[in-house]
Amino acid sequence: MIARVRVWWTILRIALEDRLVYRGDFALGTLMRFLPIITQIFLWSAIFDALDRGPAGPSRIVGYQFEDMVAYYLLTMLARAFSSMPGLASGIALQIRNGEIKRFLVQPVDLLGFLLLTRVAHKLAYYSVAVGPFALVFFLCRGYFVHGWPDASTIGLFALSLVLSFLLGFFLEACIGLMGFWLLEVGSLLFIYMLLSFFLSGHMFPLDMLPHPWRELVDLLPLKYLAYFPAAVFLDKLGSDEIARGVVVQCVWLAVFIVASRIAFRRGIRRYSAFGG
Amino acid sequence: MESPRRYLGILGAFARNSLMRDMAFRADFLIECASSVSWALMNVGLYAIIFRHTRMIGHDTGWGRDEFFVFMATTWFVHAIVQALFMPNAEEFSELIRTGNLDFALLKPIDTQFLVSFRKVDWSALSNLLSAGLLLAISLRGLARREPNPLTFDPVTLFLYPFYVMCGVAILYSVMIALASTSIWLGRNQTLYDFWFYITNFSRYPMEIYQRGWGRPLGAFFTFIVPVLVVVNVPARLLAQPLVPRASWEWPLAGFTVVATTGSLAASRWVFQRALASYRSASS
Amino acid sequence: MAIIEVNGLSKSYRVYQKPEGLLASFRGLFHRTYRDVRAVREIDLEVRQGEFVAFLGPNGAGKTTTLKLLSGVINPTSGSARVMGHVPWRRENAYRRRFALVMGQKNQLWWDLPAIESFRLHQRIYGVEPAAFHRNCDELTELLDIRPLLHQPVRELSLGERMKMELTAALLHAPDVLFLDEPTIGLDVVAQHQIQTFFRHYQEQRRITILLTSHYMKDVAALCRRVVIIARGRIQYDGSLAGIIDRFSGSKIVTFQFAEGQSAGDLSAYGEIVELREPKARLRIARNEVPRALAKVLASHAVADVSVEDPPLEEVIADLFTQVNGRPAEPDRGDAVGEPMDEVGGVVP
């Protein structure tokens, strides 16, 4: 057990060091992530500006006032910092194509476990630098959180939904990457995923804005847990029964993708060995 | 540049080789085309949803749905050209630096910036020109029926629109090549594309949205220092005419755009030359 | 007439020192330590028109850096150089039309297209007249025996074929000066030999000036009369290949053939025994000891035959490189710049 922990720790540490070497990249990348928020703030401000002001209180779109919209956008940024997995699927597919994946047949390390740890390390390295800018931006934008801090239980649920969104994002993309055993090129699959999540995860706009059949469809898909759900939990846009249902559905999806990735890996490896790689 | 004809000939050869290469991988090419077009459709979808909930972007700015779709089509024109001509080259430039293959570019008896900037053409990106054309046609048809000020075309606009689209291309190119040059100093520069996207992101919306509070200095920065705001705004405004009659500041802005284009090109060339001087050529 | 003149040419790099350990990596985000690496130090060199000069040296000695300086790819820290009257790092088009650099480890042809397309591009870039282009292209592809491969995508060619295509591309504009950096690296013996033959033929015919770096002594021995040895960024030797032995080898190989029934006995007092197979013995003896050792052995043994030879060239050079690299390290060793460090023994093919 201790040996195992030590192996994990080594993997984690190497991945962290690898991340931190390229300083210029890192600093620029982190800083730049916040630029789109600025345009979004101005864009939404202008959109709300043009609305007819209601007789009572600020103008709203599907229950969101301007400040909510910005807060929502900030929170989805945070959620996506957990749920997005840059390079994961394409990395797995590449390893399959160039045969590097064989390493995991020889070494006593589990591929998915290894990737998950590396990903955790990447995320930790990222957060260790990004926490500053994130805190700063949220502090500067505290005015947009018109209802202040939510209560402790909501924060707990929010944290839970973030962790779940990380795991869901990871296993979902791992599944896409593992399709590389069967497809020559997962690029187009990944593209479809990105396209759908661009629209249906809610990181461009609150999903409540979707018109009729789409709104109901999105509730059944796993994508909304990658961005919309944590933000909506934090902003108290969901009733407690909706949250409970959401967490359950999310857990079901997570289980589905964990099992799917296991199966895909095992079958893929078998197929790989059968073909002689 | 000694002989424009020679450079044009070389450009033709680059374009030809790239097309031959693209055609060798036809499936990839089609997928690329399909993906650019789908992104475009998604964007239309996003704003179609937004315009279900609002009439206009900004109070009294005139950017209603059809006007904004003209704006969006213009964005696509500019970006399709930039992506086709320069994006693959800027990405490859970082790669050339990393591998030391920039050596070969430096050996050639032509302008190095020209060679590095135009080496490859991504023909699939041009598919967005079609989407842009289609969106433009549909939204202009809508604008021709606009109440109370239906859109009218005059020949000057028809000449100026493509001219300012090309100015926009030149400005974005300058930003891109200057950014790509920084990888000589910063080493591996994977975030180049992100960085470029974030900066040019400012150009994707009507400049009126930066009209209040701290938007003003920001708008000024992206107009006068890094002039990405004029890239789409000037040609789109010329064509869609959100404000009737035209505002007094529109023509001076158009004049400034010409200055900004020249300035950007000069500045990016300076950065490029400085970067080359620091190039140290990776070994083996 | 000197076609290449180099005076006091130096090149230093600042190299980022990657810290070890996690904490240090974090610190590296904010504060970095650099060290200076002097890749080329105060090199003086003069090459006449039509010479074929080899640069020899251990990995990272500064050979490639020198070639890159002369082709204007990088700027020097100090010193001057003129090639055909041009300062290389000004990168004037007039200069760039007249030379070529071929690097065995890099390729510039379009990977997915037939080589002929890259050649046509070169024709345009160098402004080669169509007639000259066809003549050169025909001649080169004929000499290198790659004519039938011109219309195959480059990625489908073997390493040797690809190198020949690279050479053709580099020579299409008929350069007057050619820099070759490890042109035969990684190639099989046949391809190596073909390319050697090609260079000899091409150089004899055109009388162009060629500077070559190579790890293969066979390349050097077959092609170059003049050899420049660079180590630690400095020129250590400049002269003929044979002269290297006189200069750097401190020993001779002495072979005794003893008379019938004569036992060699203990010879180790005279020198290092290389081979002992009675009645024959080969000894390595320090050069200034040779007369004394000979006299003693001849006096104490019945000797049927004796020969005194120089040690093999490869061995001398390998020894030389090992010596140079093995010296206690100065802080500014030049090895961070050149090729990746591998065995110095790579000198021997």
Side-chain angles (χ1 to χ4, degrees):
Chain A
M1 186 61 210
I2 289 176
R4 192 136 219 225
V5 169
R6 202 168 293 151
V7 170
W8 287 351
W9 169 242
T10 312
I11 294 172
L12 201 70
R13 216 189 49 216
I14 291 172
L16 265 173
E17 281 175 23
D18 182 49
R19 291 262 83 190
L20 292 172
V21 173
Y22 297 95
R23 166 179 71 159
D25 235 27
F26 209 82
L28 273 182
T30 314
L31 194 69
M32 287 309 115
R33 268 186 94 87
F34 293 99
L35 280 177
I37 300 181
I38 299 172
T39 39
Q40 288 300 314
I41 291 178
F42 285 111
L43 178 68
W44 285 106
S45 158
I47 290 172
F48 277 89
D49 242 15
L51 288 183
D52 302 318
R53 282 183 178 73
S59 46
R60 289 177 184 272
I61 293 178
V62 292
Y64 289 74
Q65 66 189 66
F66 165 61
E67 286 79 5
D68 288 342
M69 207 58 102
V70 176
Y72 174 84
Y73 195 73
L74 286 168
L75 288 165
T76 58
M77 288 282 296
L78 189 62
R80 288 192 54 77
F82 280 83
S83 65
S84 72
M85 304 284 148
L88 177 63
S90 49
I92 296 177
L94 185 71
Q95 285 200 331
I96 293 172
R97 212 162 358 138
N98 64 20
E100 232 179 273
I101 201 117
K102 275 186 228 146
R103 192 151 65 98
F104 294 98
L105 302 180
V106 187
Q107 289 175 3
V109 182
D110 170 58
L111 170 81
L112 288 165
F114 173 80
L115 288 174
L116 185 61
L117 275 173
T118 325
R119 189 52 58 168
V120 170
H122 283 198
K123 288 283 180 196
L124 285 179
Y126 171 67
Y127 299 144
S128 71
V129 176
V131 68
F134 259 102
L136 181 69
V137 170
F138 273 76
F139 176 74
L140 290 176
C141 296
R142 65 192 180 285
Y144 294 113
F145 293 83
V146 282
H147 307 295
W149 286 93
D151 54 57
S153 65
T154 310
I155 288 180
L157 282 170
F158 175 65
L160 175 70
S161 70
L162 284 182
V163 173
L164 287 175
S165 81
F166 166 76
L167 292 171
L168 185 64
F170 176 82
F171 284 101
L172 210 166
E173 278 212 30
C175 282
I176 296 176
L178 288 169
M179 287 301 114
F181 280 116
W182 292 272
L183 305 172
L184 207 60
E185 175 59 63
V186 297
S188 30
L189 198 62
L190 195 61
F191 173 75
I192 294 172
Y193 167 68
M194 272 169 54
L195 205 65
L196 289 177
S197 80
F198 169 79
F199 219 67
L200 303 178
S201 75
H203 85 273
M204 291 310 295
F205 58 92
L207 293 176
D208 315 72
M209 282 174 77
L210 281 173
H212 164 55
W214 300 97
R215 179 80 189 86
E216 287 73 24
L217 177 73
V218 158
D219 274 338
L220 299 173
L221 295 178
L223 294 172
K224 75 166 189 177
Y225 300 99
L226 303 177
Y228 168 79
F229 189 68
V233 167
F234 191 94
L235 289 177
D236 207 14
K237 294 287 173 195
L238 301 172
S240 53
D241 55 327
E242 273 180 296
I243 293 179
R245 191 153 28 106
V247 171
V248 171
V249 174
Q250 187 171 12
C251 287
V252 171
W253 274 118
L254 179 57
V256 166
F257 284 112
I258 290 177
V259 172
S261 61
R262 285 268 152 223
I263 294 174
F265 182 58
R266 200 161 310 147
R267 294 237 169 131
I269 285 292
R270 207 180 305 148
R271 184 186 145 91
Y272 204 69
S273 331
F275 282 89
Chain B
M1 297 208 182
E2 46 213 305
S3 143
R5 264 195 63 196
R6 192 173 141 240
Y7 277 85
L8 225 55
I10 296 171
L11 192 59
F14 285 147
R16 189 172 150 274
N17 278 8
S18 302
L19 188 63
M20 281 173 54
R21 195 197 157 277
D22 281 356
M23 287 303 116
F25 301 95
R26 231 159 303 172
D28 287 356
F29 180 78
L30 290 176
I31 290 174
E32 291 285 321
C33 291
S35 70
S36 341
V37 173
S38 331
W39 271 121
L41 280 178
M42 282 285 166
N43 262 294
V44 172
L46 173 62
Y47 285 95
I49 290 177
I50 288 179
F51 279 105
R52 281 169 62 94
H53 298 276
T54 185
R55 276 182 305 106
M56 213 175 262
I57 291 184
H59 187 58
D60 276 344
T61 55
W63 291 109
R65 200 187 67 177
D66 285 336
E67 287 87 352
F68 186 75
F69 280 155
V70 170
F71 188 96
M72 204 149 123
T74 310
T75 311
W76 295 352
F77 276 129
V78 174
H79 280 256
I81 297 172
V82 170
Q83 263 167 10
L85 287 182
F86 305 119
M87 187 66 91
N89 294 301
E91 279 168 359
E92 180 140 323
F93 186 35
S94 310
E95 198 57 18
L96 289 178
I97 292 161
R98 199 181 61 76
T99 57
N101 273 331
L102 185 60
D103 292 0
F104 287 120
L106 291 167
L107 297 174
K108 300 287 182 292
I110 55 168
D111 185 80
T112 306
Q113 188 178 352
F114 171 83
L115 180 66
V116 166
S117 306
F118 288 98
R119 234 166 72 88
K120 290 197 171 151
V121 178
D122 177 5
W123 286 89
S124 64
L126 291 177
S127 59
N128 252 4
L129 287 182
L130 290 179
S131 334
L134 198 66
L135 182 66
L136 191 68
I138 294 172
S139 44
L140 283 180
R141 225 186 62 166
L143 287 181
R145 299 194 204 121
R146 174 169 63 182
E147 293 298 329
N149 296 302
L151 193 67
T152 49
F153 298 98
D154 61 279
V156 180
T157 313
L158 292 183
F159 164 76
L160 283 182
Y161 182 72
F163 171 75
Y164 277 109
V165 165
M166 292 324 286
C167 284
V169 169
I171 291 174
L172 289 190
Y173 160 74
S174 308
V175 174
M176 181 182 274
I177 199 75
L179 275 177
S181 304
T182 59
S183 42
I184 283 186
W185 296 297
L186 295 173
R188 182 176 79 164
N189 203 347
Q190 282 175 333
T191 45
L192 175 72
Y193 179 83
D194 295 351
F195 195 42
W196 189 80
F197 173 80
Y198 293 145
I199 286 189
T200 56
N201 198 30
F202 284 94
S203 74
R204 291 172 177 266
Y205 307 101
M207 56 204 303
E208 283 90 339
I209 69 171
Y210 305 107
Q211 256 174 7
R212 38 173 28 215
W214 49 284
R216 284 177 190 284
L218 194 72
F221 177 83
F222 282 111
T223 307
F224 298 109
I225 313 292
V226 183
V228 291
L229 267 189
V230 299
V231 165
V232 182
N233 269 283
V234 171
R237 185 170 280 285
L238 266 167
L239 199 58
Q241 299 167 26
L243 296 178
V244 183
R246 290 197 163 159
S248 59
W249 48 268
E250 288 189 334
W251 286 115
L253 187 70
F256 166 76
T257 302
V258 178
V259 178
T261 307
T262 326
S264 308
L265 286 173
S268 70
R269 181 150 185 95
W270 182 78
V271 172
F272 184 83
Q273 305 278 22
R274 284 291 305 267
L276 276 196
S278 314
Y279 174 62
R280 40 188 279 183
S281 176
S283 53
S284 61
Chain C
M1 184 197 106
I3 198 161
I4 300 176
E5 278 182 286
V6 177
N7 285 309
L9 194 63
S10 298
K11 175 72 182 173
S12 317
Y13 293 102
R14 279 178 83 207
V15 178
Y16 165 51
Q17 291 204 283
K18 184 186 178 298
E20 296 203 359
L22 183 57
L23 212 67
S25 292
F26 268 110
R27 231 175 282 134
L29 283 172
F30 308 102
H31 179 76
R32 300 197 142 187
T33 39
Y34 294 91
R35 77 194 160 115
D36 272 333
V37 171
R38 291 162 69 190
V40 170
R41 308 190 222 184
E42 305 269 327
I43 279 190
D44 298 311
L45 184 71
E46 201 167 285
V47 177
R48 284 185 314 281
Q49 148 80 43
E51 275 193 287
F52 201 143
V53 182
F55 281 18
L56 289 180
N59 282 326
K63 309 179 300 268
T64 302
T65 309
T66 309
L67 286 195
K68 283 180 178 170
L69 284 165
L70 289 180
S71 41
V73 167
I74 48 177
N75 297 344
T77 313
S78 63
S80 70
R82 273 175 192 279
V83 184
M84 298 178 284
H86 297 275
V87 175
W89 42 90
R90 283 203 194 128
R91 297 200 277 266
E92 293 149 297
N93 288 347
Y95 174 54
R96 295 194 287 192
R97 277 202 192 91
R98 291 188 61 194
F99 80 95
L101 168 67
V102 177
M103 291 176 275
Q105 296 179 332
K106 291 179 187 170
N107 48 64
Q108 59 167 336
L109 301 174
W110 284 53
W111 190 247
D112 298 309
L113 293 184
I116 186 75
E117 301 302 335
S118 294
F119 294 171
R120 289 203 182 114
L121 196 62
H122 272 240
Q123 180 201 352
R124 284 201 177 273
I125 290 175
Y126 282 92
V128 184
E129 295 299 323
F133 171 76
H134 289 298
R135 202 174 52 239
N136 289 344
C137 190
D138 287 350
E139 186 198 341
L140 290 163
T141 50
E142 190 67 41
L143 275 172
L144 287 163
D145 197 21
I146 44 174
R147 182 81 63 82
L149 305 173
L150 273 177
H151 296 277
Q152 261 182 45
V154 171
R155 64 169 189 277
E156 291 171 7
L157 302 179
S158 74
L159 189 62
E161 290 162 350
R162 222 153 57 217
M163 195 58 225
K164 291 175 186 172
M165 291 293 181
E166 292 282 344
L167 272 175
T168 308
L171 295 173
L172 277 175
H173 64 286
D176 297 315
V177 171
L178 181 58
F179 302 123
L180 300 169
D181 189 22
E182 309 272 0
T184 57
I185 198 159
L187 302 187
D188 61 49
V189 183
V190 180
Q192 265 181 45
H193 183 73
Q194 286 170 334
I195 287 180
Q196 277 168 21
T197 316
F198 166 77
F199 280 139
R200 193 164 28 195
H201 179 83
Y202 192 80
Q203 202 265 349
E204 273 169 11
Q205 253 191 354
R206 304 232 168 185
R207 308 304 307 162
I208 63 172
T209 312
I210 304 183
L211 262 57
L212 163 89
T213 76
S214 181
H215 268 133
Y216 298 110
M217 280 309 296
K218 281 192 179 144
D219 280 356
V220 177
L223 297 169
C224 311
R225 288 215 193 87
R226 180 174 169 196
V227 174
V228 173
I229 294 183
I230 300 184
R232 306 169 145 248
R234 289 210 174 92
I235 292 185
Q236 312 278 350
Y237 173 82
D238 185 348
S240 71
L241 202 52
I244 294 177
I245 295 169
D246 296 339
R247 173 81 179 276
F248 292 105
S249 172
S251 61
K252 296 254 179 190
I253 302 290
V254 182
T255 311
F256 295 102
Q257 173 100 38
F258 296 110
E260 290 282 327
Q262 170 75 52
S263 159
D266 186 18
L267 295 169
S268 58
Y270 308 107
E272 179 200 338
I273 297 166
V274 181
E275 192 188 1
L276 181 61
R277 203 180 296 156
E278 291 196 13
K280 209 172 174 182
R282 282 163 69 81
L283 280 85
R284 181 194 302 275
I285 300 173
R287 204 189 292 182
N288 52 2
E289 291 288 318
V290 170
R292 210 146 48 99
L294 266 181
K296 277 191 179 169
V297 174
L298 288 175
S300 57
H301 294 70
V303 175
D305 191 14
V306 66
S307 75
V308 180
E309 302 158 287
D310 288 320
L313 184 63
E314 280 95 337
E315 198 178 290
V316 176
I317 290 174
D319 279 354
L320 172 65
F321 290 177
T322 322
Q323 271 171 35
V324 172
N325 267 1
R327 263 187 236 159
E330 294 172 28
D332 49 0
R333 271 180 58 181
D335 54 38
V337 176
E339 307 84 336
M341 290 293 284
D342 51 36
E343 305 297 338
V344 171
V347 177
V348 185

